[in-house]
Amino acid sequence: GPRAAVLREMEIALIRATDATIVVSPEERAQVEADVPGAVVRIVPTINEVRSPVPPADERTGVFFIGGFEHPPNTDAVLRLVGRVMPRVWRELGQVPVTIVGGSVPPEVAALASAQVDIVGWVQDVDPIFDSARVMVAPISYGAGLKGKVTHALAAGLPVVTTPIGAEGLGAVDGEQLLIGVDDGELAHCVIRALTDDELWTRLSTAGQKLAADRCSFALVTERLGELVDFADHARAGSQIAGDPDVNA
């Protein structure tokens, strides 16, 4: 819409006006480089510290979704999860509980509450839920960038079922670090596998944590930010050498 077009123009103007632009995934870098040829773009992922120990599969139950509902893709994802994915799971496995966490719950999400579906709202400490759920399901249909909910779950050793859009930016392989479904039937099949196959669950949990450590660790973000500061220092020194009058503005 018009608002998106205005925001896009503002973003492009800001990218042109800065020495470097930070994005969180390779896909976003490619988009920025296409929109603003010559832009310096650096990837600095979100931080997720890998948790230890991870409660095992047999101490966990149910399906979990987290996301603030000020962000429209999260409302869309929950309506899809409860309305289209979980009925297929319930037909096969019975009353699997679903926990939905996130602030600013809209009426259409609140209306999903039932014996199987707990609409919790905003929670100060989400770690106990990450430690007690069997699988996080993020059936995200649109939205760009690295998904914080996905990296948080992987770092916590909680297996994730998501869409190709939900997995964007991670370099994850379906069936190795998480499970990816394109349509509702595939997503439901992935959820059933994660709920019933302990061996698969353990493999996903371990590989997911390794991926989070490789891609989203505090050490990696510190290193990337250090490189960015060095780059900015060099850019600033270059401006001073060139006699740029605005360098101290």
Side-chain angles (χ1 to χ4, degrees):
R3 183 166 178 271
V6 169
L7 288 172
R8 175 182 153 81
E9 289 307 314
M10 286 175 61
E11 278 193 358
I12 287 173
L14 287 167
I15 291 164
R16 288 192 176 120
T18 54
D19 292 322
T21 298
I22 298 173
V23 297
V24 296
S25 71
E27 288 85 349
E28 285 186 309
R29 178 167 66 183
Q31 185 63 56
V32 171
E33 288 173 342
D35 289 341
V36 186
V40 175
V41 188
R42 299 296 177 95
I43 300 170
V44 181
T46 50
I47 296 175
N48 288 111
E49 283 304 287
V50 172
R51 297 261 300 288
S52 182
V54 176
D58 60 8
E59 294 178 12
R60 297 166 173 267
T61 186
V63 165
F64 166 50
F65 177 90
I66 186 168
F69 293 104
E70 307 88 350
H71 189 48
N74 287 329
T75 297
D76 178 78
V78 168
L79 294 174
R80 184 181 185 186
L81 173 63
V82 177
R84 307 198 327 247
V85 176
M86 288 308 298
R88 299 163 191 255
V89 177
W90 288 325
R91 277 199 295 275
E92 188 149 336
L93 299 182
Q95 304 305 305
V96 175
V98 177
T99 303
I100 308 292
V101 175
S104 304
V105 176
E108 61 268 37
V109 170
L112 299 173
S114 70
Q116 298 100 264
V117 181
D118 187 8
I119 309 294
V120 177
W122 184 81
V123 173
Q124 182 157 12
D125 182 9
V126 296
D127 286 347
I129 301 173
F130 278 90
D131 284 346
S132 62
R134 171 87 184 204
V135 58
M136 192 186 80
V137 187
I140 300 163
S141 302
Y142 64 101
L146 203 60
K147 310 304 182 294
K149 62 173 69 62
V150 174
T151 58
H152 188 156
L154 293 174
L158 175 61
V160 173
V161 170
T162 192
T163 58
I165 289 169
E168 182 182 299
L170 282 168
V173 177
D174 177 30
E176 290 190 17
Q177 296 96 350
L178 41 68
L179 300 178
I180 298 173
V182 173
D183 58 30
D184 298 335
E186 285 184 9
L187 287 164
H189 179 65
C190 290
V191 173
I192 289 164
R193 289 174 65 202
L195 289 171
T196 57
D197 185 336
D198 284 1
E199 187 184 339
L200 171 67
W201 190 97
T202 303
R203 206 165 65 240
L204 290 170
S205 175
T206 302
Q209 283 202 306
K210 183 178 186 309
L211 183 70
D214 290 345
R215 297 294 176 95
C216 306
S217 71
F218 183 80
L220 175 68
V221 171
T222 301
E223 178 188 324
R224 294 276 173 88
L225 289 174
E227 290 169 358
L228 201 58
V229 170
D230 289 344
F231 171 80
D233 284 345
H234 289 140
R236 196 176 183 85
S239 294
Q240 287 173 319
I241 290 164
D244 183 342
D246 295 325
V247 72
N248 293 310

